[in-house]
Amino acid sequence: MSHPAPAAPAMPAAGPLVDGRALRQRALMLLLALLVGLDFLENGMFVFAASHIAGGVDAGPREFAQAQAIYAMGTMLTIAAQQWLTRHFGYRRYLAGSLLLFMAGALAAARADSVGALGAARAVQGLGAGALFTSSRILVQMSFAPAQRLSAVRHFMVGAFGASAVAPLLAATMVDRWGWQWVFLAALPVALLALAGVLVLLPRQIGLGSMPVRWAAGPLLWFAAAVGCVQWALSDARYAVFDHPARLLLMVALGALLIGAFVVHQWSHDEPLLRLRELRHPAFVTGLGLYFLYYLLSNFSGYLFPVFAERGLGLPLLTTGWLNGLAGAVGVVVAWIYTRIGGRVARKKPVVIAGALGLALMGWLFASLPPDAPVTALWAGVAIKGLFGVLMVLPVAGVTFRSLGEAQFAHGYQSKNLMRQLAGSFATATGAIMLQDRQFAVASELGARVNAGNPWALQWLDHVQAALAAHGLPSAEAHAGALAELARLLERQALVLACEQLYLGLAVLALVTAAAVALQRQLR
C-alpha cells in the first residue's frame, strides 16, 4: 500500500530552506540598496565638497568643470556599453570589475595634487561608477518576482535617498577634520562591502546572454566622440562664447552632428548599444524630459547651497552639512510614506507641480535672506528642498517606466541614466561658472560704490582703523588692516548677492518646470 507518510518527516526541513531563501532575498535587496547608495553617496559628497576639492588641487571653475565633464564621460561610456558587457560577462563579474575601477579611481583622486591628476582619476572612477545605479535598478526587475518587487524597490529608494541624506554631513565631517581627500576615501569601505556582497549574492549566470556579443569598437568610439564634444562644449561655453566663439560654435555643431549620426546608426542597427526603437512611447519620452528638468534643478541647487551657506552666510562647514542632511532626512521620510500611499494617489500631476512650486518657494526664501541670517532662517527652505526631490521624481518614475514592458525596462533605464549624467554635469558646471561670473559683476559694482567719496565707507574705515590702533597696531598697519577687512566684507557681500541672484534664477526655472508639467498630457 503506497501512501505519503514517509514524506511527512521531511516537511520541517523545508522550513529552514524557505527561511534561508527568504534571508538571501532580503540580503540581495540590501545589496542593491547599497550599490545605488554608493553611487548617490559618492556623487553627493563630491558635489557638497566641490569648492574644497577645487581649492585642494588649485583648480579654477573652468578647470573644475572640465574635470566634471571627464567624469561624466566615463560614466556615460560605461552605461552605454552596459548591455554588451553584461551579456558577455554577467552582472556578477561586470559589477565586481566596476567596483574595482571605482575604488582605484577614488584612491587616485585622493592622492591628486593637480587638476590634471584629478581629472584622470575621476575618469577611472566614472568608468566604475557608471555601472552602479543602472545595474542595481535593473537587477531589482530581474531578481525578484512581482510580489517581492515592491519591497525591493522600497529598499532601493531608501538606499538612494538615505545616501543623499548622509553624503553632505559625511563630506562636511571629512573635510573639516581630515581634509578634502577623505571625500574620496570615505567611500572605500562601502565599496569593499558592496564588492563582497556582489561576489557572494549574485549568481554567476545572471545577465549572461544566450548568444555571443558581436563586439564593435566603432559605435562606442562614435558615442565617446559625440559625448566628449558635447560635454567639453558645455563645460567651456561661458568662457569661449566671448573669447573663442567660432571654436565653441564648431564644437557644438560637431557634437550635435555626431550625436545625430549616432542616433541614426543605432536606430537602424540590428544590435545597437542603445535600443532606441523600443523606447518610442510618448509617456517614456515625456518622462525623460521631466527627469532632465529634475536633475538639472536638483544638481544646480546641490552645488549652490553649500557655497551660499558656508562661504556666503559664514556658517560652519559642519552646520552646512547638517542642514543638507536635514533636507535628505525629509526626503527619506516622504519617500517612505509615498511608497505606501502613492499607489492610491490617482492624480500624480498635482504632486509633481507641488514639488516644482516648492523649489521655487525655496529659491525665493533663500534669495531674500540677509547676509547675517541665523541658521534657523534656513530651516524652512531646507525642508522644502527635501520635499522637492521626492514629490517630483517618484511620480515621474512611475509614468516613465510604466509604459515599458519587462523586455524594454533595462534599455529604458540605461537611456534615462545617460541623460541623468548629462544633466548633472551640465548643472554643476553651469553653477560653478555662473557663480563666478555673477560674483565678479557684483563685486565690481560694490567696489565702484565704495570709494573715497563715499562717507559711509570712510566712516567705517576710520572706525575699524581706530579699533585696530586701540589694540596696539601702528597707524600704517591699522589702516592696511582696515582696508583688508573692507575687502573681505565686500567679497563676502558679493558672494551672498551672487548666490541670491542665482536662487532667483532657480526659482524662475522651477516655475517654468511647473508650467511645463501642467501643460503636458502624459502625466495625469
Side-chain angles (χ1 to χ4, degrees):
M1 181 177 177
S2 177
H3 54 79
M11 292 300 292
L17 289 176
V18 173
D19 291 343
R21 185 175 185 278
L23 183 63
R24 188 178 183 87
Q25 291 283 299
R26 178 57 61 87
L28 183 56
M29 291 180 189
L30 293 174
L31 171 62
L32 299 181
L34 184 68
L35 285 170
V36 70
L38 176 60
D39 185 28
F40 277 74
L41 181 72
E42 186 279 331
N43 186 66
M45 287 196 299
F46 185 87
V47 170
F48 180 83
S51 59
H52 295 274
I53 296 170
V57 296
D58 195 25
R62 187 178 192 176
E63 294 78 14
F64 188 74
Q66 290 168 352
Q68 270 296 79
I70 293 171
Y71 174 84
M73 287 172 58
T75 59
M76 294 174 77
L77 281 173
T78 298
I79 295 172
Q82 175 155 336
Q83 295 300 314
W84 284 3
L85 292 170
T86 53
R87 282 173 51 202
H88 183 76
F89 295 105
Y91 274 98
R92 182 182 178 185
R93 285 191 290 174
Y94 170 67
L95 280 171
S98 297
L99 286 166
L100 289 173
L101 279 175
F102 177 89
M103 289 187 285
L107 285 170
R111 294 175 57 86
D113 56 1
S114 67
V115 66
L118 178 67
R122 290 287 286 170
V124 175
Q125 194 177 18
L127 287 171
L132 302 178
F133 189 7
T134 308
S135 298
S136 55
R137 183 61 183 91
I138 292 173
L139 284 170
V140 167
Q141 297 293 117
M142 296 178 63
S143 305
F144 301 99
Q148 300 171 303
R149 201 170 291 160
L150 180 58
S151 179
V153 169
R154 286 172 180 163
H155 282 75
F156 176 87
M157 288 194 296
V158 168
F161 285 103
S164 298
V166 171
L169 180 58
L170 184 59
T173 303
M174 297 294 104
V175 173
D176 186 64
R177 296 187 179 181
W178 299 299
W180 62 267
Q181 294 88 346
W182 282 86
V183 170
F184 300 103
L185 298 176
L188 292 177
V190 183
L192 282 170
L193 181 60
L195 177 60
V198 165
L199 295 175
V200 171
L201 295 172
L202 287 185
R204 186 182 300 272
Q205 297 81 11
I206 191 167
L208 284 171
S210 57
M211 299 292 291
V213 176
R214 290 189 294 170
W215 300 101
L220 197 58
L221 292 175
W222 198 339
F223 178 80
V227 169
C229 284
V230 171
Q231 286 286 335
W232 207 260
L234 290 176
S235 66
D236 210 39
R238 188 60 183 91
Y239 295 93
V241 72
F242 295 115
D243 297 340
H244 306 285
R247 187 180 69 185
L248 176 64
L249 183 61
L250 178 62
M251 185 72 73
V252 171
L254 180 60
L257 179 64
L258 287 173
I259 287 180
F262 176 78
V263 169
V264 171
H265 174 269
Q266 295 292 286
W267 191 275
S268 58
H269 201 275
D270 58 350
E271 192 172 349
L273 284 169
L274 306 177
R275 297 185 178 273
L276 302 176
R277 283 178 298 179
E278 302 175 22
L279 306 174
R280 291 177 289 177
H281 196 284
F284 179 77
V285 175
T286 300
L288 278 188
L290 295 177
Y291 261 122
F292 182 86
L293 289 172
Y294 164 73
Y295 285 122
L296 183 69
L297 294 168
S298 179
N299 283 275
F300 190 94
S301 174
Y303 174 80
L304 185 58
F305 180 77
V307 177
F308 176 60
E310 182 191 354
R311 291 168 48 196
L313 300 181
L315 299 180
L317 180 62
L318 283 175
T319 302
T320 305
W322 277 107
L323 287 169
N324 257 308
L326 172 62
V330 170
V332 172
V333 172
V334 178
W336 185 85
I337 294 173
Y338 186 87
T339 60
R340 279 151 178 80
I341 68 171
R344 298 194 293 270
V345 179
R347 293 180 58 80
K348 301 293 195 296
K349 182 184 288 189
V351 178
V352 179
I353 292 174
L357 292 177
L359 190 71
L361 176 60
M362 181 214 73
W364 178 78
L365 288 173
F366 286 165
S368 305
L369 291 177
D372 57 348
V375 66
T376 54
L378 281 75
W379 288 356
V382 165
I384 295 171
K385 181 174 179 284
L387 285 171
F388 157 73
V390 178
L391 295 182
M392 183 166 183
V393 77
L394 293 189
V396 168
V399 71
T400 302
F401 297 104
R402 192 180 298 122
S403 60
L404 302 181
E406 291 285 337
Q408 291 80 36
F409 182 88
H411 308 303
Y413 220 80
Q414 178 189 26
S415 300
K416 170 257 179 184
N417 276 350
L418 283 173
M419 183 275 305
R420 171 193 177 230
Q421 292 298 333
L422 182 65
S425 61
F426 173 66
T428 304
T430 301
I433 294 169
M434 288 181 66
L435 182 60
Q436 184 194 41
D437 286 353
R438 293 314 308 153
Q439 185 179 3
F440 178 79
V442 173
S444 299
E445 183 179 348
L446 291 176
R449 296 179 182 178
V450 180
N451 51 51
N454 188 316
W456 175 89
L458 294 176
Q459 183 180 0
W460 189 91
L461 281 172
D462 290 341
H463 175 75
V464 174
Q465 183 174 344
L468 293 174
H471 284 80
L473 286 180
S475 177
E477 293 184 16
H479 182 68
L483 289 175
E485 185 63 27
L486 178 61
R488 283 192 294 269
L489 179 65
L490 291 176
E491 181 180 6
R492 180 183 168 189
Q493 182 71 19
L495 181 60
V496 170
L497 292 175
C499 288
E500 290 181 347
Q501 289 177 10
L502 293 189
Y503 270 121
L504 282 177
L506 183 66
V508 171
L509 184 56
L511 290 175
V512 171
T513 299
V517 173
L519 292 174
Q520 65 84 39
R521 299 180 179 179
Q522 296 300 324
L523 183 65
R524 299 297 180 182

